[in-house]
Amino acid sequence: MTNVCSAGLDIGFASLDYVQIGILGIVQGITELLPISSTAHMRIIPAVMGWHDPGSAFSAAMQLAALAAVVSYFWRDVTAVTSGSIRAWKQRDFNAPMFRLAVAIILATIPIGIAGLALSHVLNSCGSPLRSLSVIGYSCLGMAALLALAELACRHRRTVEQMRLRDALIVGIAQVGALIPGVSRSGSTLTAALLLNFKREEAARFSFLLGLPAIALAGLKELAVLLHAHIPLQAWSLLLFGLVVASVSAFCAIWGLMKFLERFSTWPFIVYRAVLGVFLLVAVSKGLLQ
């Protein structure tokens, strides 16, 4: 069996086969962009199936699949923000909507960038306590309660174009919670945006656009860490395969979520998270899962 640690880095995915990586890629792609926590499912599926934990390095690197899916689905938004910001900068029109949105995304990315660097040694280390199933269970329950509160309190009136810098900073601070396995990046940012009275589909849209820098930075940083760790060639092959599978499933997840939120609330996700949290805590307490 392949050693699951390399230079102190958790590379449990290197001990899995292509079928297992394919299954995890599908799960990662779907759950990364739904408000149900991809990290939680990357721990739960292997635990239930009796596989090695693929490790936080796998989860972080696989975020590049989500990046590809978000850019593809929101291509018009990405190009509009990019071209609009450049044009506004040249014209010194700093009140232009696209320029303000770009600044909001950058501002909201700063908190998780700082926190991610500060906690990277804890998050990515072998046997990190933050990846325990108990922590994930409590996180699922906590986020279920917060998302339920957001649904009950939200007036669903605002759009992304009405985003203020203060709103962006609040959502950005909420995004830091995603560093805790079980919280979910999309879940934390969606919850914060709903509490700020954004429409559900607009909250999801900003959540995805906001996630682009954070996802790109986390994924690229993890790839750099893996390069310096000199992991086996077989591990790179597994990772690439997982990225391809996850990209396709992530695109499908975005499409499904956006269509869903146009017509329905987030209550199904709230119930799912609550049930999942209870299941994990009971299973761990009874010794059914380690």
Side-chain angles (χ1 to χ4, degrees), residues 123-267:
L123 297 170
N124 295 338
S125 63
C126 295
S128 172
L130 289 179
R131 289 181 66 83
S132 73
L133 292 176
S134 295
V135 169
I136 293 173
Y138 285 117
S139 297
C140 285
L141 289 176
M143 278 305 302
L146 290 174
L147 189 52
L149 175 64
E151 274 291 354
L152 293 172
C154 184
R155 300 187 186 92
H156 308 293
R157 295 185 304 198
R158 302 175 64 194
T159 65
V160 169
E161 285 70 26
Q162 297 172 321
M163 175 72 64
R164 298 167 298 193
L165 295 183
R166 182 182 66 185
D167 299 324
L169 184 57
I170 291 172
V171 177
I173 292 173
Q175 186 176 220
V176 173
L179 294 174
I180 301 173
V183 169
S184 166
R185 194 205 63 78
S186 60
S188 60
T189 53
L190 180 65
T191 299
L194 288 175
L195 286 171
L196 292 169
N197 295 315
F198 283 85
K199 298 177 182 178
R200 292 187 187 94
E201 65 274 20
E202 291 293 303
R205 180 183 164 209
F206 183 68
S207 172
F208 288 136
L209 292 175
L210 167 61
L212 290 176
I215 292 171
L217 289 172
L220 293 173
K221 174 185 175 295
E222 207 57 50
L223 284 182
V225 171
L226 289 171
L227 281 170
H228 284 90
H230 303 293
I231 66 174
L233 182 60
Q234 173 69 5
W236 282 111
S237 178
L238 288 167
L239 187 62
L240 179 60
F241 177 70
L243 283 169
V244 173
V245 174
S247 296
V248 177
S249 60
F251 186 90
C252 294
I254 296 177
W255 180 86
L257 180 63
M258 296 303 293
K259 295 297 182 183
F260 182 87
L261 293 179
E262 288 175 2
R263 301 180 58 187
F264 305 104
S265 72
T266 61
W267 280 105

Side-chain angles (χ1 to χ4, degrees), residues 9 16 21 24 30 70 75 183 189 202 222 232:
L9 183 68
L16 303 178
I21 289 293
L24 292 179
I30 293 174
V70 172
W75 181 249
V183 169
T189 53
E202 291 293 303
E222 207 57 50

Side-chain angles (χ1 to χ4, degrees), residues 74-138:
F74 290 100
W75 181 249
R76 289 185 179 179
D77 289 279
V78 173
T79 54
V81 171
T82 303
S83 60
S85 299
I86 294 173
R87 183 166 55 252
W89 180 266
K90 290 180 178 178
Q91 297 173 353
R92 295 295 186 267
D93 181 12
F94 301 127
N95 286 319
M98 291 298 100
F99 182 82
R100 289 178 60 83
L101 180 56
V103 173
I105 291 172
I106 293 171
L107 179 64
T109 303
I110 293 174
I112 195 170
I114 295 173
L117 289 173
L119 297 174
S120 61
H121 64 289
V122 176
L123 297 170
N124 295 338
S125 63
C126 295
S128 172
L130 289 179
R131 289 181 66 83
S132 73
L133 292 176
S134 295
V135 169
I136 293 173
Y138 285 117

